[in-house]
Amino acid sequence: MSKRVASKSDTLNIIAPLILFFYLCIGFIPNWQAVDKIAPQWVGMTLLNLVSLSVLFYYRGSLKQTISKVITSYLSLFYTGFIFWGGLSYFYAINPTEVLVNITRQVNVLLMFLSMAILLFNQKNKARFISWAISIILSVEVYAVLSQALEMVNSTGVISSGTLKGVAANRNITAFSIAIKIPFVLYLVGLLKKTSFKVLITALIFLALVSLSMIQSRASFIGVGLITAGYSSLQTLI
């Protein structure tokens, strides 16, 4: 019996990181010329939520305490209460149909949040795992931006920042997505000991900043400034 429990636990330790990584890759789902450019990503999130809930149901015995802790945490309760309060606006909203559309999306995000929290709860070296996963995703995003920029230079001789959108629907989303990932890469710089890895991670940060400069999103510049200042302050305190 104990061997069976250990086997299920080992299997979950493999499945959980994969699901978490797929959640982080939702932004790579193309729009497939949909009217709502993020509609395919909502579909992808819904399907992944179904997979996650199926996994959690299957391993509910070994995850019973974890599920209880995550669901009853203050953040989960506050988030759930906020969505419930938003759903009540259906009864006095000017456009009740819009409330239904958006509340279902918010419930979808809530399920993703709870699923990720439960699957991440028992992971060893959480910060290291998330930082590496995000660094891999960032490298793909940066490659997409630089590849598009190179194609523009080869075809027209100039880089059009307005159409430089990488893997996202528009350049502002791309810029925000790149900027918000930089702190996780900076964390790896301070964590890694091998010089070769540090050089690769530092090069990724440099290319990310180059991508942001080509996209020319003002909000991303402010975000990078705040990130750099916050990281410097944190390093000083540590």
Side-chain angles (χ1 to χ4, degrees), residues 58-109:
Y58 181 75
Y59 292 98
R60 63 189 183 281
S62 57
L63 293 174
K64 185 176 181 180
Q65 292 184 349
T66 302
I67 294 173
S68 177
K69 289 180 180 178
V70 170
I71 292 178
T72 58
S73 66
Y74 289 116
L75 182 58
S76 298
L77 292 175
F78 179 81
Y79 192 11
T80 304
F82 174 77
I83 292 177
F84 178 76
W85 173 61
L88 293 177
S89 64
Y90 172 83
F91 298 101
Y92 56 84
I94 298 175
N95 189 350
T97 304
E98 188 68 17
V99 174
L100 290 177
V101 171
N102 284 284
I103 205 65
T104 53
R105 289 183 172 183
Q106 293 304 317
V107 171
N108 210 10
V109 175

Side-chain angles (χ1 to χ4, degrees), residues 27-28 30-34 37 41 140-149 152 159-178 211 214-217:
F28 290 151
N31 58 56
W32 289 312
Q33 298 182 348
K37 294 184 181 297
Q41 296 179 6
V140 176
E141 290 182 311
V142 169
Y143 172 79
V145 172
L146 295 178
S147 178
Q148 288 182 7
M152 291 178 184
I159 297 175
S160 175
S161 60
T163 56
L164 193 62
K165 58 182 181 179
V167 297
N170 60 65
R171 67 170 185 160
N172 291 323
I173 295 176
T174 298
F176 175 77
S177 180
I178 291 175
S211 299
M214 290 190 296
I215 295 173
Q216 297 182 9
S217 174

